[in-house]
């Protein structure tokens, strides 16, 4: 059986950013070494079971690894995953931990896409968000990646932080367009439970940015990036032609993917599983040859269909009824006819040429629209 996307999680960071609730910890190098050993073991079990067209090493901060550790990880991947099948091989990098030598290793081991966590080009914003790097670091990392021959680079940006103005955000957009990455992800800042930013919000030491300003920032991103040659192909993602992220399409299309590492999710044949989230329990479990799966759910057909519609609505092209019918054996209208009619009446979705998608109006209230399909 073929599954086309492999995700490998590296849950280590230099320090925790204020807004971050990802599964990542600050840890000493020796423990990272033990973790990489566990990753290799988990990868070895996959050997020959799947063919992967995309590989994505994310985090955390994969670029936190020392050169020796990074080489060990990259070597484990090519040892167990047939590289001839991999079309898109992404590694996430933080400008504060990426060095010329690490870039050289990524190139040597056939990584062909880098996702650079820049978040902002303004030092005051970076400081506010708790990032470890400066705007200069981000620019230098980008230039070094281009110099090394990387032709597919994503830049992640965050908008909507309490101390950011629309003018600040426009400057970030201008800077990123001048830099010219092939792909740009723009995420609205969210307040997740347990983060330092959320604690500050709860004790009223900070206040959320006005919703209207945040929406204007999003609209400005769409206007500015599309008028500068970036296709707005997913709610938060923009790409030059041919540079849409293939790996993330596995999530948006709700097709099979396999996750390796602490807390990583897999989705195979309608069954979702996730590994033990605690990094040290994960390492011990793997070393003791225990099953590290801590969560498992088999989706009912209608639940599977519902998730598929919600994820696909994130894509500007939406979802085709033909594809849906082939997967589920009935039409989108059979399950969601009522919702589709209601949302279409408000101008939030359209259903034309057998394709269901968000309208522009729907895009700005996407979360609310999607809850109708759950
Ligand atoms: S670098 Fe990324 S994963 Fe690490 S703390 Fe910051 S946002 Fe979270």
């Amino acid at each position: 059986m073929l599954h086309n996307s492999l995700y490998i999680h590296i849950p280590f960071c230099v320090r925790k950013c204020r807004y971050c609730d990802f599964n990542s910890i600050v840890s000493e190098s020796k423990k990272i070494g033990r973790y990489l050993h566990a990753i290799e073991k988990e990868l070895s079990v996959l050997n020959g079971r799947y063919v992967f067209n995309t590989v994505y090493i994310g985090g955390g901060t994969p670029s936190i690894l020392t050169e020796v550790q990074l080489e060990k990880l990259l070597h484990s991947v090519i040892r167990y995953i047939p590289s001839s099948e991999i079309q898109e091989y992404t590694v996430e990098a933080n400008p504060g931990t990426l060095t010329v030598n690490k870039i050289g290793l990524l190139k040597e081991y056939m990584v062909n896409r880098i996702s650079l966590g820049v978040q902002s080009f303004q030092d005051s914003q970076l400081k506010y968000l708790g990032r470890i790097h400066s705007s200069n670091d981000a620019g230098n990392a980008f230039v070094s990646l281009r110099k090394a021959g990387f032709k597919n680079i994503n830049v992640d940006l965050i908008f909507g932080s309490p101390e950011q103005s629309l003018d600040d955000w426009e400057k970030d957009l201008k800077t990123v367009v001048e830099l010219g990455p092939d792909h740009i992800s723009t995420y609205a800042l969210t307040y997740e439970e347990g983060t330092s930013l959320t604690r500050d919000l709860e004790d009223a030491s900070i206040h959320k940015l006005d919703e209207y300003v945040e929406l204007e920032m999003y609209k400005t991103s769409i206007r500015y990036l599309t008028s500068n040659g970036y296709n707005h192909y997913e709610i938060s993602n923009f790409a030059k032609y041919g540079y849409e992220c293939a790996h993330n399409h596995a999530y948006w299309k709700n097709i099979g993917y396999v996750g390796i590492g602490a807390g990583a999710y897999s989705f195979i044949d309608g069954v979702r599983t996730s590994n033990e989230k605690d990094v040290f329990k994960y390492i011990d479990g793997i070393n003791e040859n225990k099953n590290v799966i801590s969560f498992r759910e088999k989706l009912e057909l209608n639940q599977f269909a519902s998730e598929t519609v919600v994820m696909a609505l994130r894509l500007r092209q939406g979802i085709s009824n033909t594809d849906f019918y082939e997967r589920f054996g009935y039409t989108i209208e059979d399950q969601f006819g009522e919702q589709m009619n209601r949302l279409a009446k408000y101008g939030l979705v359209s259903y034309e040429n057998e394709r269901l998608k968000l309208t522009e109006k729907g895009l700005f209230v996407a979360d609310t629209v999607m809850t109708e399909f759950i």
Side-chain angles (χ1 to χ4, degrees):
M1 184 164 301
L2 305 184
H3 292 286
N4 68 0
S5 293
L6 172 67
Y7 174 77
I8 301 172
H9 190 63
I10 305 298
F12 304 105
C13 291
V14 174
R15 73 158 184 252
K16 210 66 188 159
C17 300
R18 277 179 86 192
Y19 56 91
C20 178
D21 79 330
F22 296 145
N23 188 25
S24 71
I25 56 168
V26 178
S27 184
E28 56 194 67
S29 196
K30 206 167 129 200
K31 298 211 171 106
I32 299 180
R34 287 184 61 221
Y35 183 81
L36 295 179
H37 184 68
I39 288 282
E40 174 154 30
K41 224 168 151 186
E42 215 190 345
L43 274 172
S44 71
V45 177
L46 294 181
N47 199 8
R49 282 174 63 194
Y50 305 105
V51 172
F52 293 108
N53 303 126
T54 70
V55 174
Y56 192 108
I57 303 181
T61 307
S63 54
I64 197 178
L65 304 181
T66 62
E67 286 161 30
V68 173
Q69 289 167 340
L70 183 62
E71 181 153 27
K72 178 180 163 57
L73 173 66
L74 297 171
H75 189 264
S76 305
V77 174
I78 56 158
R79 181 165 175 206
Y80 295 111
I81 309 299
S83 55
S84 58
E85 305 296 337
I86 303 173
Q87 288 155 16
E88 184 187 276
Y89 186 177
T90 306
V91 174
E92 283 180 355
N94 182 313
T97 51
L98 197 59
T99 62
V100 171
N101 286 351
K102 291 180 194 177
I103 291 172
L105 281 171
L106 295 167
K107 196 74 192 148
E108 189 185 325
Y109 281 87
M110 285 157 4
V111 172
N112 58 17
R113 183 172 185 270
I114 301 293
S115 181
L116 207 52
V118 172
Q119 316 313 349
S120 173
F121 288 101
Q122 289 169 53
D123 288 338
S124 57
Q125 275 300 310
L126 292 169
K127 203 165 166 213
Y128 186 84
L129 296 171
R131 303 288 300 176
I132 60 162
H133 57 89
S134 66
S135 171
N136 259 347
D137 293 335
N140 291 340
F142 186 88
V143 170
S144 302
L145 286 164
R146 280 289 197 235
K147 250 192 206 158
F150 280 97
K151 293 193 170 66
N152 189 353
I153 305 175
N154 169 59
V155 166
D156 276 349
L157 293 175
I158 288 180
F159 65 92
S161 89
E163 293 191 359
Q164 190 180 30
S165 66
L166 185 55
D167 189 47
D168 289 333
W169 178 237
E170 282 170 353
K171 281 185 190 142
D172 272 353
L173 291 171
K174 196 165 172 282
T175 308
V176 78
V177 164
E178 276 166 12
L179 211 52
D182 314 284
H183 189 284
I184 301 169
S185 300
T186 60
Y187 299 107
L189 183 72
T190 54
Y191 293 83
E192 306 297 338
E193 211 184 315
T195 63
S196 112
L197 203 67
T198 302
R199 280 193 294 278
D200 290 347
L201 188 70
E202 284 162 356
D203 70 22
S205 50
I206 61 167
H207 299 281
K208 274 190 186 177
L209 188 71
D210 185 291
E211 271 180 28
Y212 172 79
V213 178
E214 188 180 312
L215 183 60
E216 272 312 301
M217 287 178 169
Y218 183 47
K219 288 182 177 174
T220 305
S221 321
I222 298 172
R223 258 195 323 266
Y224 192 75
L225 295 177
T226 53
S227 66
N228 279 283
Y230 291 90
N231 174 28
H232 183 209
Y233 73 100
E234 195 266 353
I235 288 180
S236 310
N237 287 286
F238 301 81
K240 288 185 180 164
Y241 181 74
Y243 287 91
E244 295 81 8
C245 178
H247 181 83
N248 285 345
H249 269 89
Y251 303 112
W252 296 321
K253 294 198 164 170
N254 213 18
I255 50 180
Y257 49 84
V258 174
I260 295 286
Y265 277 83
S266 298
F267 189 54
I268 302 161
D269 298 334
V271 178
R272 179 175 294 120
T273 56
S274 90
N275 280 350
E276 168 60 55
K277 199 173 168 202
D278 182 280
V279 176
F280 301 109
K281 284 189 191 158
Y282 164 82
I283 295 173
D284 291 343
I286 293 277
N287 286 341
E288 291 161 20
N289 296 318
K290 287 188 186 152
N291 185 345
V292 291
I293 290 174
S294 63
F295 166 85
R296 183 182 192 280
E297 70 172 342
K298 172 145 183 57
L299 300 187
E300 298 296 331
L301 190 70
N302 63 351
Q303 196 186 357
F304 192 178
S306 159
E307 283 193 6
T308 302
V309 170
V310 168
M311 289 309 291
L313 283 177
R314 294 192 61 88
L315 292 165
R316 296 309 320 272
Q317 63 171 17
I319 181 166
S320 129
N321 195 33
T322 317
D323 293 348
F324 184 92
Y325 187 85
E326 270 171 22
R327 288 180 76 177
F328 301 106
Y330 56 87
T331 67
I332 306 179
E333 288 154 294
D334 287 337
Q335 189 173 339
F336 303 107
E338 197 191 313
Q339 293 93 320
M340 285 162 67
N341 287 337
R342 195 170 54 246
L343 292 165
K345 224 181 264 174
Y346 288 108
L348 299 172
V349 298
S350 68
Y351 186 58
E352 284 160 20
N353 303 322
E354 296 269 302
R355 213 165 243 292
L356 175 69
K357 54 185 175 186
L358 293 177
T359 59
E360 195 172 319
K361 190 175 165 195
L363 189 64
F364 301 134
V365 286
D367 289 346
T368 312
V369 173
M370 284 166 188
T371 56
E372 294 289 316
F373 293 93
I374 294 170

